[in-house]
Amino acid sequence: MKNKNMHHLNDKTHKYLSYAQSKRQHQYLNLPGEFKQRYPQEIVFRNMDGGRMDEVYQTDEGWVIDLEEESGEISPDTLKKFAKYVIFLSYQHYPKEVYLGVICHKKPKSDYECYEYAPSCYIKIHYHYFPQEELCKKYENVINKVKQKQILTDTEAMDLAFICKFISSKKAPKVIETITYIFKDAKIPDKKLKIDIGAIICAMISKRITSHKKIKELLDVINVKEIDDEMTKIVYEEFGDILKQKDDEIKSKDDEINSYKSKIEQLKKIGDLKSNDAQKIIQSMILM
């Protein structure tokens, strides 16, 4: 059993970890504004089709960020899917400016692309790609700076976490193990940043290392229990009210989506979409 005898984050700190990962990745990718709050990923389009975005959140400046992650080539079907997400976010539920970013694991043809969804509707897609050679250079840099007891910049500190996320599967076991062992000695002046980075590294250990024995070993090395305790302090000292508010907002959106699903089931049972009962349900969905 994979998780036997492993430390589990409590519910509050798990929510904080999700918040921290989104916030730090937003910073690392140098996206517009500052991370503010996450939105539900599950959506229902007006034609009753469902969809699921990889990551969607709002910034302090009112931007809505849709951040997708693609392991393969970007196909016409993928672009069409992205366009539907942007249109949904722009006009259906979130009347905000939308930024569509895509983290690519295969090199894109350019930094951005304008996709013609319809004759008068173009979607701009911003691509983010980390070449393995660049990640290896970042890796060598942070390893050397930690060994020489030099203070890491915020970006170098975040390199520790996101090298673990974006490095190739072949190199991941060795790279993550090395970063785990040097993490405690890393000089990161911002205590909260260091806690966030430690938490992200823990998540990458559990996600990217295949050996259950090695996972437990590395989590013990990085002292996941101590990181959990520190996150708990942050949650209750500074983010308790904020997280509760976010929970309420997410619950409200989830309730709305569940209501959509319920009405879709009602329409399926009725069958005839032109009937009076079906039309009443459709009108109520339009007004939601």
Side-chain angles (χ1 to χ4, degrees):
M1 185 179 295
K2 183 172 183 177
N3 293 323
K4 186 176 181 180
N5 297 323
M6 287 187 188
H7 178 78
H8 294 272
L9 299 177
N10 65 52
D11 186 57
K12 285 293 184 185
T13 50
H14 190 276
K15 285 185 173 67
Y16 175 75
L17 170 57
S18 297
Y19 165 85
Q21 284 182 313
S22 298
K23 175 183 177 181
R24 298 306 180 183
Q25 181 166 264
H26 180 88
Q27 290 179 307
Y28 195 65
L29 296 176
N30 195 30
L31 299 183
E34 292 186 12
F35 177 92
K36 183 178 179 182
Q37 65 183 29
R38 301 178 77 192
Y39 286 139
Q41 297 159 283
E42 301 284 348
I43 57 175
V44 179
F45 299 108
R46 293 299 186 189
N47 65 355
M48 308 309 147
D49 286 343
R52 189 179 191 279
M53 295 172 282
D54 289 342
E55 179 77 41
V56 58
Y57 56 88
Q58 184 180 334
T59 70
D60 61 336
E61 297 177 352
W63 287 79
V64 171
I65 308 290
D66 175 14
L67 193 58
E68 301 294 318
E69 191 162 344
E70 293 292 327
S71 57
E73 301 288 345
I74 306 297
S75 68
D77 285 342
T78 310
L79 293 171
K80 185 176 181 180
K81 176 185 71 174
F82 292 160
K84 290 169 71 176
Y85 288 165
V86 171
I87 292 169
F88 175 88
L89 293 170
S90 298
Y91 304 110
Q92 303 282 346
H93 286 270
Y94 309 102
K96 308 284 185 180
E97 299 292 334
V98 178
Y99 174 99
L100 173 63
V102 181
I103 298 172
C104 299
H105 290 265
K106 289 190 176 181
K107 187 176 181 180
K109 296 177 182 178
S110 60
D111 291 339
Y112 66 88
E113 177 177 3
C114 289
Y115 168 66
E116 183 182 359
Y117 180 70
S120 296
C121 182
Y122 286 79
I123 305 298
K124 186 174 182 180
I125 303 121
H126 302 263
Y127 294 119
H128 300 273
Y129 172 69
F130 295 96
Q132 291 299 307
E133 298 80 6
E134 178 184 322
L135 291 172
C136 288
K137 288 180 181 178
K138 291 176 180 288
Y139 172 71
E140 294 296 335
N141 176 61
V142 292
I143 295 299
N144 290 333
K145 291 196 75 169
V146 172
K147 286 182 177 178
Q148 294 170 15
K149 303 186 184 304
Q150 296 182 26
I151 295 175
L152 300 182
T153 65
D154 286 356
T155 299
E156 289 170 337
M158 287 188 286
D159 281 340
L160 292 169
F162 291 106
I163 287 171
C164 292
K165 179 174 181 180
F166 298 126
I167 200 70
S168 68
S169 297
K170 182 179 179 180
K171 296 176 181 177
K174 178 184 176 182
V175 167
I176 293 175
E177 180 173 356
T178 303
I179 287 177
T180 298
Y181 272 92
I182 69 161
F183 173 72
K184 286 252 179 180
D185 296 327
K187 292 186 178 296
I188 303 171
D190 186 333
K191 182 180 177 181
K192 290 176 189 172
L193 176 59
K194 186 162 187 176
I195 294 301
D196 290 352
I197 290 167
I200 296 170
I201 293 173
C202 288
M204 292 303 108
I205 291 170
S206 298
K207 181 178 181 180
R208 307 205 65 200
I209 302 295
T210 57
S211 166
H212 302 164
K213 181 179 178 181
K214 179 60 71 173
I215 290 173
K216 185 178 186 309
E217 173 192 322
L218 295 180
L219 290 178
D220 287 343
V221 168
I222 205 168
N223 198 344
V224 64
K225 178 64 169 65
E226 179 182 334
I227 291 172
D228 186 9
D229 290 343
E230 290 298 325
M231 285 197 296
T232 301
K233 291 178 184 176
I234 294 173
V235 167
Y236 286 103
E237 288 175 3
E238 298 190 30
F239 295 99
D241 293 339
I242 293 175
L243 289 173
K244 184 178 184 302
Q245 178 185 348
K246 303 316 172 213
D247 286 346
D248 292 342
E249 291 172 355
I250 290 172
K251 183 179 184 301
S252 175
K253 292 296 179 183
D254 287 342
D255 289 344
E256 184 177 340
I257 290 170
N258 289 332
S259 179
Y260 259 93
K261 291 179 178 178
S262 175
K263 291 180 184 297
I264 290 171
E265 291 302 316
Q266 293 177 46
L267 288 173
K268 287 180 180 178
K269 289 180 180 179
I270 294 172
D272 182 6
L273 297 182
K274 295 182 179 179
S275 68
N276 289 334
D277 289 342
Q279 286 298 309
K280 287 179 182 178
I281 293 173
I282 292 170
Q283 286 299 317
S284 69
M285 295 174 77
I286 293 173
L287 294 173
M288 289 179 70

